[in-house]
Amino acid sequence: MNILVINCGSSSLKFQVIDSATEALLAKGLCERIGIDGSVITYENIVKNSGKEVNETPMPDHNKAVSLVLEALTNEKTGVLKSLDEIGAVGHRIVHGGEKFTTSVVITDEVIEAIKEVSDLAPLHNPANLIGVDACKALMPNTPMVAVFDTAFHQTMPEKAYMYALPMDYYNKYKVRRYGFHGTSHSFVSKAMAEVAGKPYDSIKTIVCHLGNGASISAVCNGKCVDTSMGLTPLEGLIMGTRSGDIDPAIIEFIAGKENQTAAEVVSVLNKKSGVFALSNGKSSDFRDLEEGYVAGDKFCKLAIDAFCYRVAKYVGAYAAAMNGVDYIAFTAGIGENSGFVRANVMQYLGYLGIKLDEEANKGRGKVIKISTDDSTVQAYVIPTNEELAIARETAALC
Ligand code: ADP
């Protein structure tokens, strides 16, 4: 069955068509600047190896974007499908499922209402995700659709891991707790880790380091997530591209007072102007630039990368303790898959776990690689993530 995977943001829409039987990627693309001047659709027919086709064309709303995507997919010249009937189901990435959604679900009117109900937990993401659902429903009313939640995989966390030590009312009234994000990736990578290791998923302890522009880490014990670093929102935990990760919450009031800002303004700085971008003294949030600066002797780039890696290593230690041990450490996402420099920096802290870096293997990137030596007692791997394939699998399983 062909699955159309949709990841819809407020002004962008990423899409892929995946054949769920062979897991082959047939086509992919991206609509950008939806509702803004200069909208662009990028489309690639993978079957024909056509290369990227970029077209600037007006997209006043998401309906127009989805109709352009469907047009490209069925176009006589560029299409991978003869007609829309060849799309068996649509899988939508939905950022926040609150406590209501512990697994992926077929989208019904009740599900849409329930997603709206938890939208105040992700006011920037859920409404945008739902616009994508509406647009697909309008153009393909008879095609089944599935919601795949970023938070669902983490719903197995025990209370002691997800509760904040705050007045109980905040949880009872507002559901303030740790939810965690990147769940589709943590689930995909921890399962892939078990497959690569040739061990049953429910018999190993894995720490997944999802290191991308957004970064999070999870402890997966015998097939269940028992802890993760992101919280009520994606701001908590690791240092990220522009997010601060963990800080003393009192800093918010302190800076608001000093800079005459509101709490919301300070939190916006924590989300958009902090992280390695801030530590590098505003040089970049991209690790390729930071590595270049580090090697060239830029002390701020060094600080940014060293602080980032130190935070990852501290979480690895915490999660090894939480699981009373660890068997595998999996590095994934843009930085985890591509930066041997960052992996080596993190691994220098992990000798006490019995992990030794295989320096030659660590030079590889973008594929499954064992980066620890054979005599290490805990093994470290690069395991590429594939969130779209994970969404396609979940969708096919329900349709
Ligand atoms: P997100 O999905 O959160 O936007 P990605 O997982 O795509 O993030 O990761 C993006 C980050 O990966 C970039 O900011 C960049 O820092 C890093 N990255 C990509 N390729 C490389 C590379 N070859 N070396 C170092 N870092 C890289």
Side-chain angles (χ1 to χ4, degrees):
M1 186 198 316
N2 293 323
I3 309 285
L4 172 60
V5 176
I6 298 277
N7 182 352
C8 190
S10 55
S11 66
S12 71
L13 186 153
K14 288 187 207 152
F15 63 95
Q16 289 195 359
V17 176
I18 294 171
D19 177 346
S20 63
T22 60
E23 301 204 328
L25 173 63
L26 307 182
K28 68 173 182 176
L30 166 69
C31 300
E32 291 169 286
R33 300 179 64 83
I34 301 168
I36 310 171
D37 279 352
S39 317
V40 173
I41 177 167
T42 307
Y43 173 78
E44 205 174 340
N45 181 328
I46 305 290
V47 180
K48 284 193 187 153
N49 199 9
S50 66
K52 276 186 192 163
E53 206 183 293
V54 184
N55 278 312
E56 193 170 328
T57 174
M59 287 178 229
D61 55 35
H62 287 74
N63 278 359
K64 183 65 186 173
V66 172
S67 72
L68 287 171
V69 169
L70 299 180
E71 208 285 311
L73 292 173
T74 52
N75 183 287
E76 258 184 35
K77 275 193 200 146
T78 61
V80 284
L81 308 171
K82 287 196 188 73
S83 78
L84 291 184
D85 296 341
E86 292 185 9
I87 297 177
V90 184
H92 289 273
R93 174 189 181 215
I94 308 286
V95 166
H96 218 306
E99 287 186 323
K100 272 192 195 336
F101 296 106
T102 57
T103 58
S104 304
V105 289
V106 173
I107 298 178
T108 60
D109 289 345
E110 292 76 46
V111 166
I112 291 175
E113 278 315 303
I115 294 171
K116 281 186 189 156
E117 275 169 34
V118 296
S119 282
D120 62 341
L121 294 171
L124 295 180
H125 293 102
N126 274 23
N129 301 155
L130 281 176
I131 291 172
V133 172
D134 280 347
C136 288
K137 210 171 139 195
L139 294 162
M140 294 182 281
N142 299 319
T143 308
M145 299 201 283
V146 168
V148 180
F149 300 93
D150 268 22
T151 49
F153 180 63
H154 304 303
Q155 280 293 310
T156 49
M157 281 187 287
E159 256 182 346
K160 65 185 174 188
Y162 72 68
M163 286 301 286
Y164 291 118
L166 293 170
M168 203 48 84
D169 263 4
Y170 297 173
Y171 174 69
N172 292 334
K173 289 207 271 195
Y174 313 119
K175 294 287 172 221
V176 170
R177 50 160 282 181
R178 174 183 311 287
Y179 290 96
F181 298 87
H182 295 138
T184 314
S185 175
H186 286 285
S187 164
F188 181 90
V189 170
S190 57
K191 282 179 188 138
M193 185 66 255
E195 265 170 41
V196 167
K199 298 269 172 65
Y201 188 42
D202 60 5
S203 75
I204 57 170
K205 298 171 180 177
T206 303
I207 295 175
V208 178
C209 306
H210 177 111
L211 310 180
N213 191 35
S216 67
I217 180 162
S218 70
V220 185
C221 190
N222 303 330
K224 287 200 166 70
C225 175
V226 294
D227 210 340
T228 191
S229 57
M230 283 178 167
L232 174 75
T233 76
L235 184 53
E236 193 180 348
L238 300 179
I239 294 172
M240 309 181 209
T242 61
R243 294 190 192 119
S244 63
D246 298 333
I247 59 160
D248 179 343
I251 291 171
I252 296 172
E253 191 202 5
F254 183 82
I255 294 298
K258 294 279 182 204
E259 298 269 319
N260 197 19
Q261 287 181 323
T262 63
E265 285 168 336
V266 180
V267 170
S268 173
V269 171
L270 301 185
N271 268 307
K272 297 185 180 150
K273 293 190 176 157
S274 300
V276 288
F277 171 74
L279 285 173
S280 67
N281 206 19
K283 183 168 169 90
S284 179
S285 61
D286 191 306
F287 273 71
R288 285 163 286 204
D289 303 332
L290 298 176
E291 275 181 40
E292 217 179 272
Y294 193 121
V295 173
D298 181 316
K299 69 174 183 173
F300 292 111
C301 291
K302 181 175 184 321
L303 170 64
I305 291 188
D306 285 346
F308 176 91
C309 297
Y310 176 64
R311 180 79 55 91
V312 174
K314 284 208 296 185
Y315 267 94
V316 169
Y319 288 172
M323 294 193 289
N324 190 18
V326 54
D327 301 311
Y328 297 97
I329 296 178
F331 289 92
T332 197
I335 302 159
E337 289 168 29
N338 293 303
S339 176
F341 193 78
V342 165
R343 293 191 301 257
N345 194 325
V346 173
M347 300 259 289
Q348 67 172 324
Y349 296 99
L350 306 182
Y352 72 99
L353 287 171
I355 308 182
K356 283 183 227 147
L357 178 69
D358 180 335
E359 284 179 26
E360 201 45 44
N362 190 45
K363 288 179 184 157
R365 50 182 280 229
K367 55 180 183 189
V368 172
I369 319 167
K370 182 159 86 72
I371 54 170
S372 48
T373 57
D374 288 342
D375 62 344
S376 296
T377 44
V378 174
Q379 296 295 346
Y381 279 80
V382 175
I383 305 278
T385 191
N386 190 337
E387 287 168 280
E388 289 78 13
L389 177 57
I391 293 173
R393 283 181 183 166
E394 294 273 314
T395 304
L398 289 171
C399 292

